[in-house]
Short mmCIF file of all heavy atoms in Angstrom, two decimals:
data_model
loop_
_atom_site.label_atom_id
_atom_site.label_comp_id
_atom_site.label_asym_id
_atom_site.label_seq_id
_atom_site.Cartn_x
_atom_site.Cartn_y
_atom_site.Cartn_z
N TYR G 1 85.39 98.60 105.50
CA TYR G 1 86.71 99.11 105.17
C TYR G 1 86.59 100.41 104.33
O TYR G 1 85.96 100.42 103.22
CB TYR G 1 87.44 98.04 104.37
CG TYR G 1 88.78 98.30 103.66
CD1 TYR G 1 89.86 98.87 104.45
CD2 TYR G 1 89.01 98.06 102.39
CE1 TYR G 1 91.04 99.10 103.82
CE2 TYR G 1 90.20 98.28 101.77
CZ TYR G 1 91.28 98.79 102.48
OH TYR G 1 92.43 99.03 101.93
N ARG G 2 87.17 101.49 104.85
CA ARG G 2 87.02 102.76 104.08
C ARG G 2 87.70 102.78 102.76
O ARG G 2 87.12 103.33 101.83
CB ARG G 2 87.50 103.84 105.02
CG ARG G 2 86.83 103.96 106.32
CD ARG G 2 87.00 105.24 107.09
NE ARG G 2 88.34 105.75 107.15
CZ ARG G 2 88.62 107.01 107.46
NH1 ARG G 2 87.66 107.89 107.62
NH2 ARG G 2 89.91 107.42 107.50
N GLY G 3 88.91 102.24 102.69
CA GLY G 3 89.61 102.12 101.39
C GLY G 3 91.02 102.09 101.51
O GLY G 3 91.66 102.29 102.60
N ALA G 4 91.67 101.81 100.36
CA ALA G 4 93.17 101.64 100.34
C ALA G 4 93.89 102.89 100.70
O ALA G 4 95.15 102.82 101.11
CB ALA G 4 93.55 101.21 98.89
N TRP G 5 93.29 104.01 100.65
CA TRP G 5 93.90 105.29 100.97
C TRP G 5 94.03 105.48 102.48
O TRP G 5 94.77 106.40 102.89
CB TRP G 5 93.12 106.46 100.34
CG TRP G 5 91.68 106.41 100.75
CD1 TRP G 5 90.65 105.77 100.03
CD2 TRP G 5 91.01 106.90 101.94
NE1 TRP G 5 89.44 105.86 100.76
CE2 TRP G 5 89.65 106.60 101.86
CE3 TRP G 5 91.49 107.73 102.97
CZ2 TRP G 5 88.75 107.00 102.85
CZ3 TRP G 5 90.54 108.08 103.94
CH2 TRP G 5 89.29 107.73 103.88
N CYS G 6 93.37 104.69 103.29
CA CYS G 6 93.35 104.91 104.77
C CYS G 6 94.40 104.05 105.43
O CYS G 6 94.16 102.75 105.52
CB CYS G 6 91.94 104.63 105.29
SG CYS G 6 91.87 104.70 107.10
N PRO G 7 95.46 104.54 106.01
CA PRO G 7 96.47 103.68 106.57
C PRO G 7 95.96 102.93 107.83
O PRO G 7 96.41 101.77 108.09
CB PRO G 7 97.61 104.64 106.94
CG PRO G 7 96.99 105.97 106.95
CD PRO G 7 95.92 105.95 105.96
N TYR G 8 95.09 103.55 108.54
CA TYR G 8 94.50 102.88 109.74
C TYR G 8 93.74 101.63 109.34
O TYR G 8 93.83 100.50 109.97
CB TYR G 8 93.60 103.81 110.58
CG TYR G 8 94.28 105.03 111.05
CD1 TYR G 8 94.36 106.22 110.36
CD2 TYR G 8 94.87 105.08 112.34
CE1 TYR G 8 94.98 107.33 110.82
CE2 TYR G 8 95.55 106.17 112.83
CZ TYR G 8 95.57 107.28 112.10
OH TYR G 8 96.26 108.42 112.55
N CYS G 9 92.96 101.72 108.24
CA CYS G 9 92.18 100.61 107.80
C CYS G 9 93.09 99.55 107.23
O CYS G 9 92.84 98.33 107.48
CB CYS G 9 91.30 101.11 106.68
SG CYS G 9 90.13 102.39 107.06
N ASN G 10 94.18 99.87 106.55
CA ASN G 10 95.12 98.91 106.11
C ASN G 10 95.81 98.09 107.13
O ASN G 10 96.00 96.94 107.10
CB ASN G 10 96.11 99.46 105.13
CG ASN G 10 95.55 100.00 103.85
OD1 ASN G 10 94.64 99.39 103.30
ND2 ASN G 10 96.00 101.12 103.38
N MET G 11 96.12 98.76 108.28
CA MET G 11 96.70 98.15 109.41
C MET G 11 95.70 97.15 110.05
O MET G 11 96.08 96.06 110.52
CB MET G 11 97.23 99.17 110.41
CG MET G 11 98.39 99.99 109.87
SD MET G 11 98.84 101.38 110.87
CE MET G 11 99.71 100.57 112.26
N GLU G 12 94.46 97.55 110.01
CA GLU G 12 93.45 96.71 110.61
C GLU G 12 93.28 95.42 109.71
O GLU G 12 93.22 94.26 110.26
CB GLU G 12 92.08 97.40 110.66
CG GLU G 12 90.99 96.45 111.26
CD GLU G 12 89.60 97.11 111.28
OE1 GLU G 12 89.40 98.06 110.55
OE2 GLU G 12 88.80 96.57 112.06
N LEU G 13 93.29 95.58 108.38
CA LEU G 13 93.13 94.39 107.50
C LEU G 13 94.38 93.48 107.71
O LEU G 13 94.19 92.28 107.71
CB LEU G 13 93.10 94.89 106.07
CG LEU G 13 91.84 95.55 105.59
CD1 LEU G 13 91.78 95.75 104.13
CD2 LEU G 13 90.62 94.89 106.09
N GLN G 14 95.53 94.02 107.90
CA GLN G 14 96.73 93.20 108.14
C GLN G 14 96.56 92.45 109.43
O GLN G 14 96.97 91.28 109.46
CB GLN G 14 97.99 94.02 108.19
CG GLN G 14 98.32 94.74 106.85
CD GLN G 14 99.35 95.82 106.96
OE1 GLN G 14 99.94 96.00 107.99
NE2 GLN G 14 99.48 96.61 105.91
N ALA G 15 96.06 93.07 110.47
CA ALA G 15 95.86 92.30 111.71
C ALA G 15 94.81 91.27 111.64
O ALA G 15 94.96 90.23 112.15
CB ALA G 15 95.45 93.32 112.84
N LEU G 16 93.70 91.55 110.84
CA LEU G 16 92.74 90.47 110.67
C LEU G 16 93.27 89.34 109.82
O LEU G 16 93.02 88.16 110.13
CB LEU G 16 91.57 91.08 109.87
CG LEU G 16 90.64 92.07 110.71
CD1 LEU G 16 89.71 92.82 109.80
CD2 LEU G 16 89.80 91.23 111.70
N GLN G 17 94.14 89.64 108.82
CA GLN G 17 94.88 88.58 108.09
C GLN G 17 95.66 87.70 109.01
O GLN G 17 95.67 86.49 108.92
CB GLN G 17 95.65 89.17 106.97
CG GLN G 17 96.51 88.09 106.21
CD GLN G 17 95.59 87.20 105.35
OE1 GLN G 17 94.63 87.64 104.85
NE2 GLN G 17 95.93 85.96 105.37
N ASP G 18 96.33 88.33 109.97
CA ASP G 18 97.22 87.55 110.89
C ASP G 18 96.35 86.60 111.74
O ASP G 18 96.85 85.50 112.11
CB ASP G 18 97.96 88.52 111.85
CG ASP G 18 99.07 89.31 111.14
OD1 ASP G 18 99.49 88.89 110.02
OD2 ASP G 18 99.50 90.31 111.66
N GLU G 19 95.11 87.00 112.01
CA GLU G 19 94.21 86.19 112.87
C GLU G 19 93.43 85.25 112.05
O GLU G 19 92.69 84.36 112.62
CB GLU G 19 93.34 87.13 113.71
CG GLU G 19 92.85 86.56 115.03
CD GLU G 19 93.90 86.41 116.07
OE1 GLU G 19 94.67 87.39 116.27
OE2 GLU G 19 93.87 85.38 116.71
N LEU G 20 93.47 85.29 110.77
CA LEU G 20 92.61 84.50 109.86
C LEU G 20 92.69 82.98 110.15
O LEU G 20 91.62 82.34 110.14
CB LEU G 20 92.90 84.77 108.38
CG LEU G 20 92.02 84.14 107.34
CD1 LEU G 20 90.53 84.42 107.60
CD2 LEU G 20 92.37 84.49 105.93
N PRO G 21 93.86 82.45 110.38
CA PRO G 21 93.89 81.01 110.63
C PRO G 21 93.01 80.55 111.83
O PRO G 21 92.36 79.51 111.81
CB PRO G 21 95.41 80.70 110.85
CG PRO G 21 96.09 81.67 110.05
CD PRO G 21 95.25 82.97 110.23
N ALA G 22 93.03 81.40 112.89
CA ALA G 22 92.20 81.09 114.03
C ALA G 22 90.77 81.18 113.67
O ALA G 22 89.92 80.43 114.19
CB ALA G 22 92.62 82.01 115.18
N PHE G 23 90.42 82.22 112.89
CA PHE G 23 88.98 82.35 112.52
C PHE G 23 88.52 81.12 111.66
O PHE G 23 87.41 80.60 111.89
CB PHE G 23 88.83 83.56 111.61
CG PHE G 23 89.10 84.90 112.29
CD1 PHE G 23 89.50 86.00 111.57
CD2 PHE G 23 89.01 84.99 113.66
CE1 PHE G 23 89.77 87.20 112.21
CE2 PHE G 23 89.26 86.24 114.35
CZ PHE G 23 89.62 87.31 113.59
N LEU G 24 89.41 80.70 110.72
CA LEU G 24 89.01 79.58 109.91
C LEU G 24 88.91 78.27 110.71
O LEU G 24 88.04 77.47 110.51
CB LEU G 24 90.07 79.40 108.80
CG LEU G 24 90.16 80.49 107.75
CD1 LEU G 24 91.32 80.23 106.74
CD2 LEU G 24 88.84 80.73 107.06
N ALA G 25 89.79 78.11 111.69
CA ALA G 25 89.70 76.97 112.65
C ALA G 25 88.44 76.92 113.39
O ALA G 25 87.94 75.94 113.75
CB ALA G 25 90.94 77.02 113.55
N ALA G 26 87.86 78.13 113.65
CA ALA G 26 86.57 78.18 114.39
C ALA G 26 85.39 78.11 113.46
O ALA G 26 84.19 78.20 113.80
CB ALA G 26 86.52 79.57 115.11
N GLY G 27 85.67 77.82 112.12
CA GLY G 27 84.59 77.57 111.21
C GLY G 27 84.03 78.89 110.58
O GLY G 27 83.01 78.88 109.86
N ALA G 28 84.67 80.00 110.77
CA ALA G 28 84.16 81.34 110.31
C ALA G 28 84.74 81.75 108.97
O ALA G 28 85.81 81.35 108.58
CB ALA G 28 84.41 82.43 111.37
N SER G 29 83.93 82.53 108.25
CA SER G 29 84.42 83.24 107.07
C SER G 29 84.67 84.70 107.42
O SER G 29 84.07 85.26 108.34
CB SER G 29 83.36 83.19 105.96
OG SER G 29 83.11 81.89 105.53
#
């Protein structure tokens, strides 16, 4: 992650957060 100043990076983090329940269900961190 480049940093809080990068809007593209922040949108990616938000998308990863949305998918986090599925990642956790698969046993991943």
Side-chain angles (χ1 to χ4, degrees):
Y1 172 56
R2 303 198 313 161
W5 52 271
C6 174
Y8 298 91
C9 299
N10 291 322
M11 293 170 74
E12 179 183 20
L13 292 191
Q14 293 163 14
L16 287 166
Q17 177 65 41
D18 290 343
E19 206 70 45
L20 183 59
F23 298 153
L24 296 176
S29 301

